[in-house]
């Protein structure tokens, strides 16, 4: 399994530390890992065509038309694409085909770091054996594609100056098939500490393997 990790963008999400958390795990499952700290890798056909799984952790920034064409085309042709939090859904806002592939975009996290609950909604290998759990992190409010397979949700309470969100059930973890490829997205993972929470770690590890299958 050839894995391409693409990391960079806003330093606040600690892309190097966060992606390194999963290096040993991926290597233990037979991954040969290539790391790129430039989006130009998406136009390197020799690298991209040999890649089975793309793990992106790049908050903010955008894709050129050529980068977007190449990335979206590779996933549609069979590569997996996976990532978490702003590294996938607070990125590429003007790249419509990228947004369509990923299936969601970040809008707001009322209150910043807050206590909230993550609930599981669908029986799936990624969520097997997991039960609802509490987190203290950003509760992402997103725009999402209705065709997603939603695996976990969170319910907003209308607090933190956003009363119109009361009762909104928002996807937290989802998958989708995209052509011959698979896409896994989790909105959890603001910091390395979040990704070390046992349930989040398990979800992310399983999601990476699912996308690579």
């Amino acid at each position: 399994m050839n894995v391409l990790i693409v990391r960079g963008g806003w330093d606040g999400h600690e892309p190097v530390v966060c992606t390194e958390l999963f290096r040993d795990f991926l290597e233990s499952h037979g991954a040969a890992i290539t790391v790129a700290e430039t989006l130009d890798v998406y136009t390197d056909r020799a690298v991209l065509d040999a890649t089975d799984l793309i793990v992106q952790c790049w908050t903010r920034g955008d894709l050129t038309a050529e980068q977007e064409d190449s990335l979206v085309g590779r996933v549609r042709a069979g590569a997996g694409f996976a990532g978490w939090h702003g590294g996938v859904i607070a990125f590429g806002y003007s790249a419509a085909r990228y947004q369509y592939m990923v299936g969601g975009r970040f809008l707001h996290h009322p209150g910043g770091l807050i206590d909230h609950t993550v609930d599981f909604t669908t029986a799936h290998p990624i969520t097997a054996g997991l039960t609802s759990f509490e987190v203290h992190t950003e509760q992402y409010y997103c725009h999402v594609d209705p065709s997603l397979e939603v695996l976990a949700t969170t319910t907003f309470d209308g607090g933190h100056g956003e009363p119109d969100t009361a009762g909104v059930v928002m996807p937290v973890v989802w998958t989708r098939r995209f052509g011959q490829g698979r896409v896994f997205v989790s909105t959890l993972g603001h910091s390395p500490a979040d990704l070390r929470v046992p349930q989040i770690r398990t979800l992310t590890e399983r999601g990476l393997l699912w996308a690579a299958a």
Side-chain angles (χ1 to χ4, degrees):
M1 175 172 62
N2 293 321
V3 176
L4 172 63
I5 295 174
V6 183
R7 65 193 187 193
W10 183 55
D11 288 339
H13 281 156
E14 300 184 64
V16 173
V17 177
C18 286
T19 52
E20 287 297 316
L21 289 175
F22 298 96
R23 180 186 286 271
D24 288 347
F25 171 78
L26 289 167
E27 290 179 339
S28 75
H29 284 80
I33 295 175
T34 298
V35 175
E37 296 184 347
T38 171
L39 297 173
D40 289 338
V41 73
Y42 286 146
T43 57
D44 187 333
R45 297 308 312 182
V47 172
L48 209 60
D49 289 347
T51 296
D52 302 300
L53 172 65
I54 300 158
V55 180
Q56 181 177 290
C57 188
W58 195 294
T59 304
R60 301 179 182 168
D62 219 325
L63 295 165
T64 67
E66 185 182 5
Q67 291 165 350
E68 183 183 24
D69 283 346
S70 184
L71 169 59
V72 172
R74 181 67 192 101
V75 177
R76 189 178 288 281
F81 183 88
W84 53 84
H85 202 62
V88 284
I89 60 171
F91 169 83
Y93 283 109
S94 67
R97 285 162 294 165
Y98 171 84
Q99 295 284 323
Y100 177 62
M101 179 184 80
V102 171
R105 60 190 293 168
F106 163 73
L107 296 178
H108 189 28
H109 45 67
L113 302 176
I114 63 169
D115 294 324
H116 60 281
T117 303
V118 175
D119 296 306
F120 294 101
T121 58
T122 304
H124 192 281
I126 293 174
T127 61
L130 297 176
T131 58
S132 299
F133 64 100
E134 302 296 316
V135 291
H136 181 80
T137 190
E138 292 171 343
Q139 188 180 33
Y140 261 24
Y141 196 99
C142 304
H143 279 170
V144 293
D145 191 309
S147 71
L148 302 177
E149 182 175 17
V150 177
L151 307 186
T153 63
T154 187
T155 302
F156 283 74
D157 64 9
H160 312 288
E162 299 291 350
D164 293 338
T165 68
V168 171
V169 178
M170 182 61 60
V172 171
V173 179
W174 64 80
T175 63
R176 72 179 311 174
R177 306 290 179 127
F178 187 76
Q180 299 301 309
R182 296 182 175 200
V183 174
F184 165 80
V185 175
S186 170
T187 67
L188 301 164
H190 173 71
S191 67
D194 285 354
L195 291 167
R196 292 187 179 103
V197 172
Q199 297 95 326
I200 298 174
R201 178 75 186 228
T202 297
L203 282 169
T204 308
E205 289 178 344
R206 291 177 179 176
L208 295 175
L209 294 183
W210 180 88

